[in-house]
Amino acid sequence: MNVAIVAEYNPFHNGHLYHINKTKELTRASNIIAVMSGNFVQRGEPAFADKVTRTKMALKNGVDMVIELPVEYATGSADLFAFGAVDILNKSGIVDALSFGSELGEITPFSDVADILNNEPAEFKRIMMSLLETGVSYPAARAGAIKEYLDIDTQFLNSPNNILALEYIRALKSTASSIWPYTVKRKGDYSDEELAGEFVSAAAIRKALLNGEDDRVVEYIPKSVADIIENLSYIPTIDDYSASLHYIMRSCPVNRLSEIEDVTEGLENRIHNNISDKKITELINIIKTKRYTYTKLQRAILHIILNLRKCDIDRRGVGYIRVLGFRKSKENLLAELTHKASVPVITNVKAAPGLLEKEIRATDLYYMIINGDIGREYTNPIVIED
Amino acid sequence: MNVAIVAEYNPFHNGHLYHINKTKELTRASNIIAVMSGNFVQRGEPAFADKVTRTKMALKNGVDMVIELPVEYATGSADLFAFGAVDILNKSGIVDALSFGSELGEITPFSDVADILNNEPAEFKRIMMSLLETGVSYPAARAGAIKEYLDIDTQFLNSPNNILALEYIRALKSTASSIWPYTVKRKGDYSDEELAGEFVSAAAIRKALLNGEDDRVVEYIPKSVADIIENLSYIPTIDDYSASLHYIMRSCPVNRLSEIEDVTEGLENRIHNNISDKKITELINIIKTKRYTYTKLQRAILHIILNLRKCDIDRRGVGYIRVLGFRKSKENLLAELTHKASVPVITNVKAAPGLLEKEIRATDLYYMIINGDIGREYTNPIVIED
């Protein structure tokens, strides 16, 4: 039984460890395969540590193999993120189940909602249209229509992990996947702000690390992770790319930015007219609205910086499977993957630079902040842990 | 009699004043029209002060009208620079003569050499080919062939102002211009390094200003210029664009840079392979060769930063005449220009943003270093001096 987990491990913490252990207990998995975002994450910012470092954290704490979620999916909106991950798992040919955390802790409600959203029955569409005509936003109209059509409380769809869970289920259904879903109920309330309780969120840990409060973090992360964090030289943030955004907004005809993924409805002009010499976080706080949330804007700005255009995202799915690392005792798993995958399996970027062009550029931009070298995507070795 | 001068005034100094006065004396000019580079100059770097400031310096010291040499010509190689300037003067319809400084101080030798280079007689080409076959560089073979064909000493063609003078004469001839050439012999040896003698070069003055030695500069510049310089907040250099170059080299597929003007023979790869986290001047010192001189490389790198592609340069010439400023008493000169020019005369960028797109972007990139605002090309007023 090979069970997959989709993760960012940004950083790996006790909640992740609990999820892995609970997954093994629930599914009696023989192997845990993580699909992990690379150097940039779904909030639209650089990961706190590079993907090699985060792969090590995973392999030291119960994961047997780490596969990379390519940057255009890893930094995408929730539906694109989930679709990319599920598509990779489908194409791997070796995954039996997908285990994800959720605040809800059961599959059926997600499944019911996913069916409606994927199939859009006429009555559901009619309700949604009439709600839209009252002037509410698209997400609000959608939630209202689900509530009325299914006659259920849709409050649960506001929680961050439930949102992703729904998207995994939708992706499994829309790709007619043979992979079974499992969900592990999240423990604690995972405040983004506070370091308190049994588990805390990765965001709270990042915040403490950025404030230099490493000591306060140790009780929420495995010892092996703390040891790795201790050796990090710098934690990059989106503001480290402010000068790059200034350059882009002054060198590039502004209308060309509408080609960029997630740049819609004249967002390029709002950025152009407000950026001046501001930091990116300052800019976002000025231009954010109810409709254009902080994260949505950060994601769009990251795509501008990474030059990820709408046409760069292949809606048919991922064209390769890139292994970031595996446990030495699980070499057979790599062999099985290579044998059964329906797309090329990449363990050495040098062998397939064309396929990974977007990844190579993203990695060069990641190391621009923390290290001078260009070409690290070629020279960083695959991670093999005992 | 309207006489033109092509200049950078970077900064305006006593040598420029001497040239203007000598030109008036020689030609009995009623009006002096300067064609001046804008915010970036022919050495491939930002001007020490913006074009509005440098226009003021010119108008306070004997120039009656300043016309902008568009950025793609102003930052071009000597032949493109001279062609752009002469083309503007031809299209102005109001210029009778062009006066330029030279170390030589007479027109005939330039004219003889220009005829050969423009017409390439068969015997000249034959000599040049045989010299190239011995393995010497293109410029050396060209110089050798001129020497042999004309039986003259071509040493004078190595001096910087003679090189430009030759290109002005070539451009006047190749465009069948009705404008007459005058040359003023340069006084002093204009060392690029030393502040000594009656006249010094603009390069030596910039160097002193960058070292904060404003006091040592005053005897080489008019008082009105010293007053303006005293109020400058910052003198930008090419190294202020190092972070921009780092971003470009990591975000852009390297082969796309071969589209950039002056990027030839795989130069993009040499930059990509050597830039790492270096400053631009450090990079140039590492990759320069006899063939790729410091200035040639700096120009290519500036074109990468300004995103000036080969296809952005119209070899047919300039499509508009942009007036940066004029003396109030010479309003009739502006009226005459508007009346007689064969291309649109622009005094207000807002009226023709499409024509000046490259200029708008270059100005935004100039002010990125010295001031936060985007859109200064629209808001900077035309300069009118008493």
Side-chain angles (χ1 to χ4, degrees):
Chain A
M1 178 89 168
N2 295 330
V3 181
I5 287 171
V6 184
E8 303 207 296
Y9 298 147
N10 187 39
F12 192 101
H13 57 59
N14 291 345
H16 295 125
L17 191 60
Y18 171 80
H19 179 213
I20 291 167
N21 290 336
K22 206 75 191 171
T23 295
K24 286 179 174 171
E25 188 188 312
L26 260 170
T27 66
R28 288 188 294 256
S30 43
N31 297 302
I32 297 286
I33 298 170
V35 175
M36 190 184 81
S37 46
N39 289 327
F40 294 89
V41 295
Q42 208 250 331
R43 278 179 57 83
E45 57 188 24
F48 97 105
D50 66 72
K51 57 196 179 192
V52 176
T53 303
R54 281 160 40 244
T55 296
K56 284 179 189 162
M57 293 176 179
L59 296 177
K60 282 178 186 290
N61 288 284
V63 171
D64 297 296
M65 176 185 275
V66 179
I67 291 171
E68 178 167 37
L69 183 60
V71 62
E72 64 271 34
Y73 301 95
T75 64
S77 51
D79 57 332
L80 190 63
F81 179 95
F83 166 68
V86 166
D87 182 63
I88 284 182
L89 298 178
N90 290 336
K91 286 170 177 165
S92 76
I94 60 167
V95 169
D96 304 292
L98 169 62
S99 170
F100 45 84
S102 67
E103 290 85 359
L104 192 64
E106 49 173 326
I107 293 290
T108 311
F110 293 122
S111 179
D112 292 345
V113 174
D115 282 336
I116 293 169
L117 294 178
N118 284 7
N119 304 323
E120 295 196 313
E123 174 64 6
F124 167 77
K125 274 168 89 171
R126 194 197 56 74
I127 302 170
M128 199 166 139
M129 282 301 167
S130 66
L131 284 170
L132 276 173
E133 278 165 17
T134 68
V136 303
S137 73
Y138 186 87
R142 204 174 78 161
I146 292 167
K147 186 175 179 169
E148 192 174 329
Y149 186 85
L150 283 181
D151 193 22
I152 57 165
D153 184 357
T154 53
Q155 191 58 35
F156 74 100
L157 291 176
N158 295 327
S159 308
N161 287 275
N162 286 345
I163 290 170
L164 264 177
L166 173 63
E167 296 301 336
Y168 293 133
I169 301 281
R170 288 186 68 185
L172 288 170
K173 285 176 179 272
S174 71
T175 61
S177 177
S178 61
I179 295 169
W180 296 350
Y182 282 88
T183 190
V184 174
K185 190 173 164 61
R186 287 182 68 129
K187 281 177 79 176
D189 60 355
Y190 285 82
S191 159
D192 270 10
E193 299 299 324
E194 300 268 330
L195 284 183
E198 188 184 353
F199 296 119
V200 296
S201 71
I205 295 175
R206 285 197 302 276
K207 197 178 159 193
L209 291 175
L210 280 167
N211 287 334
E213 303 173 315
D214 296 35
D215 291 352
R216 294 187 59 211
V217 161
V218 288
E219 64 176 299
Y220 301 104
I221 57 178
K223 171 76 170 65
S224 59
V225 172
D227 291 345
I228 292 174
I229 287 178
E230 211 182 359
N231 288 314
L232 291 177
S233 59
Y234 184 72
I235 299 177
T237 71
I238 193 71
D239 278 340
D240 291 319
Y241 293 94
S242 300
S244 300
L245 188 63
H246 296 163
Y247 173 72
I248 297 163
M249 298 314 295
R250 288 164 189 261
S251 64
C252 181
V254 66
N255 60 345
R256 212 179 292 161
L257 295 176
S258 63
E259 294 171 9
I260 300 289
E261 171 73 0
D262 289 326
V263 174
T264 53
E265 300 179 36
L267 182 56
E268 67 278 17
N269 292 310
R270 273 166 58 214
I271 297 172
H272 182 265
N273 296 341
N274 289 283
I275 179 80
S276 191
D277 58 352
K278 294 182 194 73
K279 286 184 185 178
I280 290 174
T281 51
E282 288 170 358
L283 170 75
I284 298 176
N285 278 318
I286 286 168
I287 65 174
K288 74 178 176 188
T289 61
K290 234 178 180 169
R291 192 186 175 86
Y292 279 100
T293 60
Y294 190 98
T295 306
K296 206 166 167 178
L297 288 168
Q298 185 163 267
R299 205 179 280 137
I301 287 169
L302 178 65
H303 288 154
I304 290 173
I305 291 161
L306 297 179
N307 194 22
L308 276 177
R309 296 163 302 170
K310 293 178 174 88
C311 66
D312 285 325
I313 291 154
D314 194 336
R315 312 276 163 185
R316 295 167 306 180
V318 180
Y320 63 91
I321 293 177
R322 198 267 184 95
V323 179
L324 287 171
F326 58 92
R327 285 180 56 214
K328 206 169 172 165
S329 59
K330 298 295 175 79
E331 267 184 327
N332 62 321
L333 190 62
L334 179 60
E336 193 190 353
L337 173 66
T338 309
H339 197 65
K340 295 196 176 158
S342 60
V343 287
V345 172
I346 312 290
T347 54
N348 179 354
V349 177
K350 282 185 189 128
L355 278 177
L356 278 84
E357 203 203 327
K358 288 186 277 291
E359 217 60 56
I360 291 164
R361 277 190 277 144
T363 291
D364 280 339
L365 286 168
Y366 188 83
Y367 287 105
M368 180 171 80
I369 302 305
I370 61 168
N371 177 301
D373 293 351
I374 291 181
R376 286 287 287 271
E377 194 70 3
Y378 295 104
T379 55
N380 280 342
I382 189 167
V383 180
I384 303 172
E385 287 284 328
D386 277 337
Chain B
M1 179 91 167
N2 294 331
V3 180
I5 287 171
V6 183
E8 303 207 295
Y9 297 146
N10 187 37
F12 192 100
H13 57 58
N14 291 345
H16 295 126
L17 191 60
Y18 172 81
H19 179 215
I20 291 168
N21 290 337
K22 205 77 190 169
T23 295
K24 286 179 174 172
E25 187 188 314
L26 261 171
T27 66
R28 287 189 292 257
S30 42
N31 296 302
I32 297 286
I33 298 169
V35 175
M36 190 184 81
S37 47
N39 289 327
F40 294 89
V41 296
Q42 209 250 332
R43 278 179 57 83
E45 58 188 25
F48 97 105
D50 65 71
K51 58 196 177 190
V52 176
T53 303
R54 282 162 38 246
T55 296
K56 284 179 190 161
M57 292 175 177
L59 296 177
K60 281 176 188 293
N61 288 285
V63 172
D64 297 298
M65 177 186 274
V66 179
I67 291 170
E68 178 168 37
L69 183 61
V71 62
E72 64 271 35
Y73 301 94
T75 63
S77 51
D79 57 332
L80 190 62
F81 180 94
F83 166 69
V86 166
D87 183 62
I88 283 183
L89 298 178
N90 289 338
K91 287 171 177 164
S92 76
I94 60 167
V95 169
D96 304 292
L98 170 62
S99 170
F100 44 84
S102 67
E103 290 85 358
L104 192 64
E106 50 173 324
I107 293 289
T108 311
F110 293 122
S111 179
D112 292 345
V113 174
D115 281 336
I116 293 169
L117 294 178
N118 283 7
N119 304 324
E120 294 195 313
E123 174 63 6
F124 167 77
K125 274 167 91 170
R126 195 198 56 73
I127 302 169
M128 196 163 143
M129 282 300 167
S130 67
L131 284 171
L132 276 173
E133 277 164 19
T134 67
V136 303
S137 73
Y138 186 87
R142 205 174 77 159
I146 292 168
K147 187 174 178 170
E148 193 174 329
Y149 186 85
L150 282 182
D151 193 22
I152 57 166
D153 184 356
T154 54
Q155 190 60 34
F156 73 101
L157 291 176
N158 294 330
S159 308
N161 287 276
N162 287 345
I163 290 170
L164 264 177
L166 173 64
E167 295 301 337
Y168 292 133
I169 301 280
R170 288 186 68 185
L172 288 170
K173 285 178 180 271
S174 71
T175 61
S177 178
S178 61
I179 295 169
W180 297 352
Y182 282 89
T183 189
V184 174
K185 189 171 164 61
R186 286 182 68 128
K187 281 177 77 174
D189 61 355
Y190 285 82
S191 158
D192 270 10
E193 300 299 325
E194 300 268 333
L195 284 184
E198 187 184 356
F199 296 119
V200 296
S201 71
I205 295 175
R206 286 196 303 276
K207 197 178 160 195
L209 291 175
L210 281 167
N211 288 335
E213 304 173 315
D214 296 34
D215 291 352
R216 293 188 58 211
V217 161
V218 288
E219 66 175 295
Y220 301 104
I221 57 179
K223 170 76 168 66
S224 58
V225 171
D227 291 345
I228 292 173
I229 287 177
E230 211 182 0
N231 288 313
L232 292 177
S233 59
Y234 185 72
I235 298 176
T237 71
I238 194 69
D239 278 340
D240 290 319
Y241 294 94
S242 300
S244 300
L245 188 63
H246 296 162
Y247 173 72
I248 297 164
M249 298 315 294
R250 288 164 189 261
S251 64
C252 182
V254 67
N255 60 344
R256 211 178 294 161
L257 295 176
S258 62
E259 295 171 8
I260 300 289
E261 171 73 1
D262 289 328
V263 174
T264 53
E265 299 177 38
L267 183 57
E268 68 278 17
N269 292 312
R270 273 167 57 215
I271 297 172
H272 183 265
N273 296 343
N274 289 282
I275 177 80
S276 193
D277 58 352
K278 293 183 194 75
K279 285 185 186 179
I280 290 174
T281 51
E282 288 171 0
L283 170 76
I284 298 177
N285 278 316
I286 287 168
I287 64 174
K288 73 178 177 188
T289 62
K290 234 180 181 166
R291 190 184 177 86
Y292 279 100
T293 59
Y294 190 97
T295 306
K296 206 167 168 178
L297 288 169
Q298 185 163 267
R299 206 178 281 138
I301 288 170
L302 179 65
H303 288 155
I304 291 173
I305 291 162
L306 298 180
N307 194 23
L308 276 178
R309 296 162 303 170
K310 294 178 172 89
C311 66
D312 285 326
I313 291 154
D314 193 336
R315 312 276 162 186
R316 294 166 308 180
V318 181
Y320 63 89
I321 293 177
R322 198 267 184 93
V323 179
L324 287 171
F326 59 92
R327 285 181 57 215
K328 206 168 175 179
S329 59
K330 298 294 174 81
E331 268 184 326
N332 61 321
L333 190 62
L334 179 59
E336 192 190 352
L337 173 66
T338 309
H339 196 64
K340 295 196 178 157
S342 62
V343 287
V345 173
I346 311 289
T347 54
N348 178 354
V349 177
K350 282 186 188 126
L355 278 177
L356 278 85
E357 205 203 326
K358 289 186 277 290
E359 216 60 57
I360 291 164
R361 276 190 277 145
T363 291
D364 279 339
L365 287 168
Y366 188 82
Y367 286 105
M368 181 171 80
I369 302 307
I370 61 167
N371 176 302
D373 293 351
I374 291 182
R376 286 288 287 271
E377 194 71 2
Y378 294 104
T379 55
N380 279 342
I382 189 167
V383 180
I384 303 172
E385 288 283 330
D386 277 338

